[in-house]
Amino acid sequence: MAATLTARYIDAVTRSLAPNAQEDVRVELEASIADAVEARLEQGESPDAAERGVLTELGDPAALAAGYAERPLHLIGPRYYLVWWRLLKLLLIIVPVSVLGAVALGQTLANAPIGEIIGTSIGAAVTVAMHVAFWVTFVFFLLERTGADTGVRWNVDMLPEPQENGTGRSEMIASLVFLVIAAGAVIWDHFRGFAFVDGVAVPVLNPELWPGWITALFLLMGAEGALAIAVYGSRRWTRAFAVANTALAVLFVSWGLTLLLRGDLINPAFIELAFTGRVDGEVLRILAVLTGFMIVGISAWDAIDGWRKARRAATSG
């Protein structure tokens, strides 16, 4: 004799439960289904329609079984979701970018072709990002299934500080002070020498950069200072300010890399005295690569920071 729909439904619910819980659940379901069917029969429904209606309202038996077993049907539940999401975002910002820079630096030092440098660096960054996403999610999946405690409890001390939509006076002053110090360091280096080798003051920057190239650098610094004042006057970062900031960063990178690739950025006398003539072409190439990566890294961070502030200001209204 074929099993009824109710018997099939109850069997589908109880088969995945622990043996010691199956009978109790079976009895409970039989009683509740019978009561619900009887209520529908009293309202004039046919027995077949009443049974189908009750079982349809109960839903997927696998979901009902998971509720009896207190087994989650989600990958990451509300208990761990925010911790997982915050950690994942942080790691996806830091780790792939760090790997990309490190691989690019290593490939450049190995004198690899530009295509290989780009392809290998991006490939490594994407691979690492996928691993970070998988393993962080897998760890929290295990925590969700085992019910382990991360030890993270929210409290009022974790509230973020209020964020201004724009830029404060302290940020503008800090930017201007930094630019003045940087300009003063360039001038001091030219007239007094910024490095001392065996008691002799030697300029680090090539004196031949004066006046043309250094004037261009001072103009970039002045534009950076004007941008800081404009942002403060506007009381907020905007897309236009972010574009201007990125343009200044690109110009600074162009200034630095052009001189570096031509071998005109660092004073030859400083290199000669610092290494007492024991430096060869390969060492100079490595020093140039490291300097170039430092110039690009600082400028890239400055540009990204400008866009981040503009986006935050736009989001907060």
Side-chain angles (χ1 to χ4, degrees):
M1 180 178 178
T4 64
L5 290 177
T6 298
R8 289 164 56 192
Y9 186 90
I10 293 175
D11 180 67
V13 172
T14 58
R15 70 176 62 176
S16 62
L17 299 177
N20 59 353
Q22 289 182 2
E23 187 59 31
D24 292 339
V25 172
R26 183 181 298 277
V27 172
E28 179 183 338
L29 277 178
E30 287 176 347
S32 62
I33 291 173
D35 291 341
V37 169
E38 184 177 353
R40 285 177 174 263
L41 291 175
E42 292 176 355
Q43 295 176 2
E45 293 188 20
S46 66
D48 182 64
E51 184 180 32
R52 285 181 173 275
V54 169
L55 298 181
T56 300
E57 287 183 354
L58 285 175
D60 192 329
L64 190 60
Y68 278 113
E70 298 182 352
R71 185 172 60 244
L73 294 178
H74 42 255
L75 189 64
I76 307 290
R79 181 181 182 186
Y80 300 111
Y81 179 82
L82 289 177
V83 179
W84 165 77
W85 182 234
R86 289 166 182 162
L87 178 61
L88 183 61
K89 286 194 297 184
L90 179 64
L91 292 178
L92 286 178
I93 291 172
I94 296 174
V95 178
V97 174
S98 300
V99 170
L100 186 146
V103 172
L105 177 59
Q107 290 288 308
T108 305
L109 292 176
N111 210 18
I114 184 64
E116 182 178 343
I117 294 174
I118 295 174
T120 304
S121 303
I122 294 178
V126 171
T127 301
V128 168
M130 293 174 61
H131 276 284
V132 168
F134 172 80
W135 289 110
V136 170
T137 303
F138 181 69
V139 168
F140 278 90
F141 166 80
L142 293 179
L143 292 175
E144 185 74 47
R145 293 305 181 272
T146 60
D149 193 351
T150 62
V152 178
R153 294 288 183 275
W154 187 90
N155 59 71
V156 294
D157 295 329
M158 298 172 66
L159 284 171
E161 294 293 331
Q163 295 181 344
E164 298 180 353
N165 289 345
T167 179
R169 177 178 297 181
S170 59
E171 183 177 342
M172 179 194 68
I173 293 175
S175 298
L176 295 178
V177 168
F178 172 78
L179 291 171
V180 170
I181 292 175
V186 172
I187 295 173
W188 180 279
D189 180 66
H190 179 67
F191 290 101
R192 299 295 301 270
F194 217 87
F196 288 86
V197 180
D198 295 332
V200 179
V202 182
V204 176
L205 294 178
N206 193 340
E208 298 297 325
L209 298 178
W210 289 77
W213 287 98
I214 297 299
T215 300
L217 177 61
F218 285 160
L219 288 175
L220 287 176
M221 291 181 177
E224 193 77 39
L227 177 63
I229 295 173
V231 172
Y232 173 70
S234 179
R235 299 296 182 182
R236 63 188 297 115
W237 274 84
T238 63
R239 184 183 296 272
F241 288 146
V243 170
N245 186 59
T246 302
L248 290 175
V250 171
L251 289 174
F252 176 72
V253 169
S254 300
W255 181 90
L257 293 187
T258 298
L259 293 173
L260 194 62
L261 293 174
R262 289 171 47 179
D264 295 336
L265 182 62
I266 306 300
N267 185 8
F270 166 73
I271 297 176
E272 183 69 22
L273 289 173
F275 295 95
T276 62
R278 294 191 299 268
V279 61
D280 57 19
E282 182 63 18
V283 173
L284 288 177
R285 188 184 70 83
I286 292 174
L287 291 175
V289 169
L290 294 176
T291 304
F293 267 79
M294 183 179 66
I295 292 173
V296 173
I298 293 174
S299 301
W301 171 250
D302 181 58
I304 293 171
D305 187 53
W307 284 103
R308 182 182 63 84
K309 291 175 180 176
R311 180 177 179 275
R312 186 175 66 190
T315 302
S316 58

